[in-house]
Amino acid sequence: MTLYHFFSLLKHHKLPLLIAISLMVAESAVSLSVPWFAGKFSESILDGKTILQLNYIQIALIWLSLFFLQALLRFLSTYRVNFIGAKMLTELSCRLYDHIQLLPVKYFSQTKKGETLALLSNDVAIISYFLSGVLTGLVPATLILCGALLLMASINITITLIIILMVPAFFIVLKILGKEIRPVSESLVKKQADSIAIASENLNIITLVKAFSREKIESNRFKENAHEVQKLRKKQLKIQAILSPAIQLLVSTGVVIVVVVSAMHYQSGDLTIPALITLLMYGMLFARPMSTLANLYGQTQQALGATSRLNKVFSLSQEPNDEAAQEGLITNNNRDISFKDVAFRYNEDQPLLQNINLEIKANQTIVIIGANGLGKSTLLHLLVRFIQPSSGQITIGGVDINNIKLLELRNHIGLVSQDIALSNGTVADNIAFGYPQASMKEIEQVAKQAGAHQFISELENGYQTQVGENGVLLSGGQRQRISFARALMTEPAILLLDEPTSMIDNKARENFKQSFKEVLQNKTVIMVSHEPSMANVADQVFTIENGQLIKLPNVKEDITQ
């Protein structure tokens, strides 16, 4: 996708844009008429000439009314253009956000959060402003530029040619000074994204930062990046600051030349005072679009830089297209799970899992025990299609999971992740996250099943207690129980438990094991844990050694006795 493709955003605003451009054209026409009236006013004062039998007072009043009309037209056009820009910003932001949400989990694990936030805030704003404000502003700028040149030419062709000869010099200077803007802008955005990423990361782990007294270290890290941003911004502002006065110097030099040549023509009798006043005012008006063009190159480079960054994201493939997949493939009688020669590696020289073969019957409980880093969680992520196996096949009910619609697959799988994520809302909101239409009775029911009802009831506002960003106001065990209740809320046929008892005490862990059979009956459960005692609830027990799944002796106890 190039900058040209972003022009499609303009298609949705054709009529408002045409109205805005029409107002700009009208304002330009009024602006071009002002020097003409200035000349006529001068004639009425100096030579006693009039237009339409109007005296100089009446001409002055018309002249003044043009200023009011010019201000009104500029207000209306500016407001409309800015509002269109705001709407385009909303549309592009939503379009980008929708695309990002559908990207594979791999993208989020490899990309800093700050970079994504910078795309959603800074880059989309640059492009929206460029399309709505900068490009539409070229219409009146071009009109005034051409109009002023034609009207000046009608007064004196020699002076007009002098001004025209300045244009090549203008673009040469613009090219020389503006070529550094794009790389500086790209580096600036990257550093700004780093600043956001540092702040976001530290705010998420603020208790850890305080616990290890790293405030000074993290502050220095943020300051160092902030000063890098400042240096780049200084360089960018310096280039932009040089552009405007350089162009102004060219224009001013041209004005001086015009004044000298005009004086020579006046002395020779080829130019009258009213004509000279009109000519000089058109020369001043000519400088306005030149100033607009002076900023155009830098703004275009910024827009191209933002486009390049957005292109990288829009070009990323979203999660697999499910158009060819079928629905209704996962049923209560058709949910046996099978891993056949499954392998996974992050890099070619870094195999994590290999030759994984596993058969899980419906309503069975499988526990995979082992230390962290062996690939236990990776098995769960493969089943829920967060990642794709390097080779092999995973089936549910004999159907390759890649042939099952992703929405249906995940609706039938409940995941209690090791990295617990809670939204910034109430306890009830988080339990009903996957089923927002749930009643309080349903929420309380699953909370009881997850062993969370008692502690929730003891909270100050019960189920309406705010949990804070990512559950910061709750303990680890409380967050884990809420996460478990959230998974049960959707009544999944398959439940994936990633270290479900890692944050709760021994008593709560025993209660979990005691209620396990009742709560998870009629569900296919895959649990990974580093605690060997969890094997007591399993129909099959495995561990992972050298990337391969090894079956252990069945030590399941009848925990109902």
Side-chain angles (χ1 to χ4, degrees):
M1 184 180 289
T2 63
L3 184 59
Y4 174 79
H5 290 90
F6 285 108
F7 287 178
S8 61
L9 293 170
L10 296 173
K11 295 179 181 178
H12 305 296
H13 307 280
K14 285 183 180 179
L15 182 58
L17 274 174
L18 286 174
I19 294 174
I21 291 173
S22 298
L23 290 169
M24 289 179 175
V25 170
E27 193 247 321
S28 300
V30 172
S31 298
L32 288 170
S33 68
V34 168
W36 184 82
F37 267 94
K40 294 303 178 183
F41 179 78
S42 301
E43 283 185 346
S44 66
I45 295 294
L46 298 174
D47 303 331
K49 295 182 179 180
T50 63
I51 53 171
L52 300 176
Q53 298 182 344
L54 300 174
N55 59 42
Y56 72 92
I57 296 295
Q58 292 171 321
I59 295 174
L61 290 173
I62 294 175
W63 190 12
L64 184 62
S65 67
L66 288 176
F67 285 122
F68 279 105
L69 180 59
Q70 184 182 28
L72 177 62
L73 290 171
R74 183 171 297 184
F75 160 74
L76 292 174
S77 61
T78 302
Y79 170 75
R80 284 183 171 274
V81 166
N82 288 340
F83 184 67
I84 293 169
K87 292 179 70 174
M88 290 174 61
L89 176 60
T90 301
E91 291 174 10
L92 185 54
S93 297
C94 292
R95 179 178 171 185
L96 177 62
Y97 187 77
D98 288 345
H99 180 80
I100 289 174
Q101 280 203 122
L102 295 176
L103 292 176
V105 174
K106 182 180 179 181
Y107 165 80
F108 300 97
S109 63
Q110 295 179 342
T111 306
K112 293 180 180 179
K113 187 194 298 183
E115 292 181 12
T116 303
L117 293 176
L119 288 172
L120 287 165
S121 58
N122 187 56
D123 288 354
V124 294
I126 289 174
I127 292 177
S128 299
Y129 171 70
F130 181 79
L131 294 176
S132 63
V134 177
L135 291 185
T136 53
L138 290 178
V139 176
T142 303
L143 181 61
I144 289 177
L145 187 70
C146 296
L149 285 173
L150 289 173
L151 290 170
M152 284 190 293
S154 66
I155 297 173
N156 189 289
I157 191 66
T158 303
I159 297 174
T160 304
L161 288 174
I162 293 172
I163 296 175
I164 291 176
L165 289 175
M166 292 171 55
V167 174
F170 164 80
F171 280 108
I172 291 172
V173 172
L174 197 62
K175 185 73 174 177
I176 294 173
L177 296 178
K179 66 179 181 180
E180 298 295 330
I181 289 182
R182 183 173 178 179
V184 171
S185 297
E186 290 181 348
S187 299
L188 178 59
V189 170
K190 186 179 184 304
K191 283 295 180 182
Q192 287 173 328
D194 289 342
S195 292
I196 297 174
I198 292 171
S200 176
E201 177 187 350
N202 288 344
L203 292 175
N204 283 336
I205 59 169
I206 189 64
T207 54
L208 188 64
V209 172
K210 290 181 176 295
F212 287 89
S213 302
R214 281 183 60 93
E215 292 93 340
K216 185 67 175 178
I217 295 174
E218 297 302 331
S219 178
N220 288 337
R221 191 158 70 102
F222 185 85
K223 287 178 181 177
E224 183 179 345
N225 196 84
H227 283 105
E228 289 294 325
V229 170
Q230 180 180 311
K231 288 179 183 178
L232 288 169
R233 186 174 284 122
K234 179 182 178 181
K235 189 174 182 180
Q236 182 191 49
L237 293 174
K238 184 178 180 180
I239 296 172
Q240 292 177 339
I242 290 174
L243 277 173
S244 185
I247 299 306
Q248 188 65 44
L249 178 61
L250 283 176
V251 172
S252 300
T253 302
V255 169
V256 171
I257 295 173
V258 168
V259 169
V260 172
V261 175
S262 297
M264 294 171 60
H265 279 268
Y266 171 72
Q267 288 180 339
S268 65
D270 294 333
L271 206 61
T272 64
I273 290 294
L276 178 60
I277 291 173
T278 303
L279 189 62
L280 293 178
M281 288 192 69
Y282 275 125
M284 293 170 62
L285 185 63
F286 180 77
R288 194 174 102 185
M290 282 297 209
S291 178
T292 300
L293 292 175
N295 294 322
L296 176 63
Y297 188 83
Q299 291 165 336
T300 301
Q301 293 305 309
Q302 287 187 43
L304 289 174
T307 300
S308 175
R309 291 184 291 272
L310 289 178
N311 283 340
K312 291 178 182 178
V313 177
F314 277 120
S315 63
L316 294 175
S317 299
Q318 297 179 347
E319 289 187 304
N321 194 322
D322 286 334
E323 290 182 1
Q326 302 179 49
E327 295 182 354
L329 296 178
I330 302 178
T331 66
N332 289 333
N333 299 320
N334 188 26
R335 47 190 167 91
D336 294 348
I337 300 172
S338 175
F339 286 74
K340 298 177 181 178
D341 299 321
V342 172
F344 179 80
R345 61 183 64 207
Y346 288 105
N347 300 306
E348 287 299 322
D349 56 348
Q350 188 182 4
L352 182 64
L353 299 172
Q354 49 190 336
N355 299 322
I356 299 296
N357 289 281
L358 176 62
E359 299 291 335
I360 307 171
K361 297 296 182 182
N363 301 332
Q364 274 193 334
T365 295
I366 302 300
V367 174
I368 304 173
I369 295 173
N372 294 331
L374 297 178
K376 305 189 305 297
S377 299
T378 301
L379 278 174
L380 304 186
H381 293 169
L382 287 168
L383 186 58
V384 82
R385 282 174 60 185
F386 284 168
I387 52 179
Q388 292 290 324
S390 304
S391 61
Q393 183 185 48
I394 304 173
T395 64
I396 297 179
V399 180
D400 191 315
I401 61 172
N402 290 315
N403 295 329
I404 301 174
K405 281 192 175 295
L406 193 57
L407 181 63
E408 180 185 0
L409 176 71
R410 291 178 179 170
N411 281 342
H412 282 81
I413 296 177
L415 174 64
V416 179
S417 178
Q418 183 177 2
D419 299 321
I420 302 168
L422 297 182
S423 64
N424 190 5
T426 65
V427 171
D429 292 336
N430 276 278
I431 293 176
F433 188 80
Y435 187 67
Q437 64 270 39
S439 65
M440 277 306 303
K441 183 178 180 180
E442 292 173 311
I443 292 173
E444 290 182 12
Q445 181 180 351
V446 297
K448 290 176 181 177
Q449 292 176 340
H453 178 70
Q454 182 176 346
F455 88 77
I456 294 174
S457 301
E458 294 171 356
L459 295 174
E460 182 178 358
N461 296 311
Y463 283 86
Q464 300 308 314
T465 301
Q466 294 287 329
V467 304
E469 186 174 359
N470 205 25
V472 68
L473 301 179
L474 302 176
S475 70
Q478 289 172 333
R479 289 161 51 208
Q480 201 160 42
R481 289 301 181 92
I482 289 175
S483 176
F484 188 30
R486 179 174 58 193
L488 295 175
M489 186 79 253
T490 58
E491 298 184 354
I494 300 167
L495 192 62
L496 309 181
L497 305 178
D498 192 351
E499 301 286 0
T501 61
S502 61
M503 296 185 183
I504 58 179
D505 57 31
N506 290 331
K507 182 179 179 181
R509 188 174 295 116
E510 288 302 316
N511 290 337
F512 174 81
K513 290 165 65 177
Q514 291 295 327
S515 61
F516 189 89
K517 185 174 182 180
E518 177 184 352
V519 172
L520 301 180
Q521 63 181 343
N522 301 322
K523 292 187 186 334
T524 304
V525 181
I526 303 178
M527 183 194 308
V528 301
S529 177
H530 65 276
E531 299 178 23
S533 65
M534 296 308 298
N536 296 343
V537 302
D539 294 300
Q540 297 185 74
V541 184
F542 298 87
T543 188
I544 297 178
E545 293 181 5
N546 299 320
Q548 296 188 337
L549 203 61
I550 307 298
K551 188 171 183 178
L552 299 177
N554 192 344
V555 295
K556 182 176 181 181
E557 299 174 355
D558 186 0
I559 61 174
T560 61
Q561 294 182 354

